[in-house]
Amino acid sequence: YTVVYEGNGQIDFSNAGTVRSREPGRIVVDVDPSRGSLFLQLRATDPADPVRNIRVVMPGFEKTYRDDPFHPAFLRRWQGVACFRFMDWMETNGSKIEHWADRPTPESATFSEKGVALEWMIDLCNRQQADAWFCMPHLADDDYVRRFAEMVRDRLDPKLRVYIEYSNEVWNSQFPQTRHSWEKAKQLQIGPPERPWECGGMYYARRSVEIFKIWERVFGGSDRLVRVLAWQAGNAWWMDNVVLPFEDAYRHADALAIAPYIGMNVPAEGKELRAADVAGWSLDRLFDHLEKESLPRAIRAMEATKTMADKYGLTMVAYEGGQHLVGVAGGENNDALTALLHRANADPRLGRMYRTYYDAWERNGGDLFCYFSSVGRWSKWGSWGILQYADDDPRQSPKFMSTFEQARRWGQKVHVP
């Protein structure tokens, strides 16, 4: 690896890193991942010319990383997908961004705190010719939304569309944005105060429309925009009685989004499922449960949502989807359960179930389907990644193969090994 920096000082490395050569402003480091993480240590710095702008560059990219920030293997893997939803890249859940000055930039030292710079999200979409889906932070003021929209307007390929959503899962009480919606509704005297959860849904609808209108003004209309109202799958009553009709929010939207997961949440103690019991199941029994309970429930959510979408003249899209097999409420601490769910995620039967699942989505008039998620290591908190590591062999992932084969059937020029 090559480490380049400005200023004067002393940089050392430990654990996986051994210095091969050093000169002012440039150090070459051998990295052995079998020895753990690479630790970079700033040992001394000159106050008059401090060490700054430290960049750690992978082998072979020293001359190109400025203009080509994405690894070629990353671009090849996801070439052809229809859209990138940047919810996690924007660190949307619990985001503390309020003002434009708070945003991450390409010069930020890390993207793990505030998210990835907008410039690079736009760059990725342009390179891949994929539509962009942005989630506006729940605390963001109007000036932030406007400036964000202006940069997208000026830099995104005009052939590409932009999906706009206010935050993420504002219905989900585990996230700070839900509590924020309740507080704002109370402050603005929206809805019946004795039912703050409904008030929060009404505030979500109002703020979504406010954000949509800002984007429309910046873009001179809504032709390139897909204005998204998103709510919990299977909760058609909320869609019909709270979110869509409030102040005619549906008239300012284009799409109704859900996350129609094939769900199986296993608590430590539950009325239907108990972690200790499920942990002793065979894979045959687990897939029998998924076929008879989880998959039909996901399809019913699609059907109910399509009914609402048709009623209000909206397109049905999925902001997330896929499997949702996970221990919850203490169930995540049962190691045998976690191992069983991991085996199920690697089983060819899940890939076959995905085919039925995607067919149901198409049969029910579903449009864009955002799979959650691309790459992520499986743990007791879930097996979300369609791949666990960026260099996994996708042929060993039934989830990947089934999803990408479906994408190709839907006309996307993805690479299926």
Side-chain angles (χ1 to χ4, degrees):
Y1 284 61
T2 303
V3 179
V4 290
Y5 62 93
E6 299 172 22
N8 292 313
Q10 178 69 29
I11 296 176
D12 290 334
F13 300 85
S14 62
N15 282 44
T18 303
V19 173
R20 178 192 296 180
S21 65
R22 89 170 57 233
E23 58 187 79
R26 185 176 184 274
I27 306 171
V28 177
V29 184
D30 287 327
V31 177
D32 179 0
S34 68
R35 290 161 49 191
S37 301
L38 171 64
F39 284 86
L40 183 152
Q41 302 158 334
L42 181 59
R43 294 295 189 181
T45 190
D46 182 352
D49 186 17
V51 173
R52 60 197 181 275
N53 197 18
I54 303 170
R55 287 142 287 158
V56 182
V57 184
M58 295 181 71
F61 297 101
E62 184 178 1
K63 295 181 179 179
T64 60
Y65 75 92
R66 294 178 182 85
D67 296 324
D68 295 308
F70 302 104
H71 197 289
F74 170 80
L75 296 178
R76 285 194 301 271
R77 168 64 65 231
W78 307 110
Q79 182 67 49
V81 300
C83 178
F84 291 112
R85 183 172 183 256
F86 290 116
M87 185 272 292
D88 273 342
W89 271 33
M90 294 180 70
E91 296 288 343
T92 301
N93 295 323
S95 173
K96 295 181 175 58
I97 290 178
E98 297 182 53
H99 312 295
W100 187 244
D102 302 333
R103 73 184 187 94
T105 71
E107 289 73 39
S108 296
T110 177
F111 291 148
S112 63
E113 179 183 6
K114 296 180 179 180
V116 176
L118 174 57
E119 290 89 337
W120 282 9
M121 292 189 283
I122 294 172
D123 186 358
L124 176 62
C125 290
N126 287 341
R127 290 172 189 266
Q128 302 291 81
Q129 285 296 288
D131 292 339
W133 184 320
F134 299 115
C135 299
M136 297 293 95
H138 66 284
L139 298 177
D141 60 18
D142 287 356
D143 179 67
Y144 172 94
V145 176
R146 178 179 59 80
R147 289 172 179 263
F148 194 109
E150 289 173 345
M151 184 178 291
V152 175
R153 178 199 62 195
D154 294 343
R155 299 194 182 197
L156 186 68
D157 188 319
K159 296 190 298 292
L160 301 175
R161 293 190 300 174
V162 186
Y163 289 73
I164 304 302
E165 179 186 6
Y166 173 48
S167 191
N168 172 68
E169 292 194 352
V170 176
W171 55 267
N172 192 337
S173 58
Q174 71 173 311
F175 295 134
Q177 52 263 35
T178 305
R179 295 186 291 276
H180 173 76
S181 72
W182 294 12
E183 293 164 1
K184 291 295 292 185
K186 181 178 180 180
Q187 175 188 331
L188 297 171
Q189 298 183 330
I190 298 174
E194 70 275 11
R195 299 196 296 276
W197 48 91
E198 291 184 23
C199 302
M202 294 173 184
Y203 172 76
Y204 164 79
R206 176 182 290 183
R207 184 57 181 154
S208 293
V209 172
E210 291 172 350
I211 288 171
F212 297 158
K213 289 182 177 179
I214 293 171
W215 279 80
E216 290 165 28
R217 287 194 293 271
V218 169
F219 272 70
S222 60
D223 289 349
R224 289 184 60 200
L225 305 179
V226 181
R227 301 160 298 177
V228 179
L229 290 172
W231 209 253
Q232 185 179 22
N235 243 327
W237 183 91
W238 275 82
M239 301 173 193
D240 199 20
N241 292 275
V242 179
V243 177
L244 297 178
F246 183 70
E247 298 178 344
D248 285 345
Y250 73 94
R251 295 184 181 275
H252 305 276
D254 304 294
L256 176 59
I258 58 169
Y261 280 112
I262 303 172
M264 185 178 173
N265 296 340
V266 187
E269 298 293 335
K271 293 181 180 180
E272 298 179 2
L273 299 174
R274 294 177 64 252
D277 296 334
V278 177
W281 287 5
S282 65
L283 276 174
D284 288 343
R285 184 174 178 184
L286 176 64
F287 275 100
D288 184 67
H289 179 89
L290 295 178
E291 290 281 0
K292 293 179 178 178
E293 300 292 336
S294 302
L295 180 59
R297 186 165 55 245
I299 294 174
R300 288 195 298 272
M302 298 175 191
E303 294 168 347
T305 302
K306 186 60 166 63
T307 298
M308 287 299 104
D310 287 348
K311 177 179 178 179
Y312 289 95
L314 302 172
T315 300
M316 182 173 71
V317 299
Y319 67 85
E320 290 176 15
Q323 63 75 43
H324 198 296
L325 315 183
V326 63
V328 298
E332 71 276 7
N333 296 319
N334 187 309
D335 292 342
L337 172 66
T338 297
L340 174 67
L341 300 182
H342 287 184
R343 290 199 300 274
N345 268 269
D347 194 287
R349 283 172 287 188
L350 187 59
R352 293 194 290 271
M353 185 178 297
Y354 270 28
R355 177 65 187 269
T356 303
Y357 175 63
Y358 293 134
D359 284 347
W361 179 255
E362 183 175 15
R363 185 174 64 253
N364 282 284
D367 197 81
L368 181 72
F369 190 106
C370 293
Y371 188 91
F372 187 83
S373 66
S374 55
V375 177
R377 187 177 180 182
W378 303 349
S379 72
K380 68 178 184 178
W381 305 114
S383 308
W384 308 115
I386 199 169
L387 300 174
Q388 290 201 69
Y389 301 94
D391 58 354
D392 278 351
D393 181 351
R395 292 170 295 183
Q396 302 304 312
S397 170
K399 297 191 298 186
F400 180 98
M401 295 300 292
S402 182
T403 299
F404 268 52
E405 286 166 359
Q406 185 65 54
R408 189 162 61 182
R409 282 192 291 271
W410 284 339
Q412 296 169 236
K413 296 180 181 180
V414 296
H415 173 62
V416 180

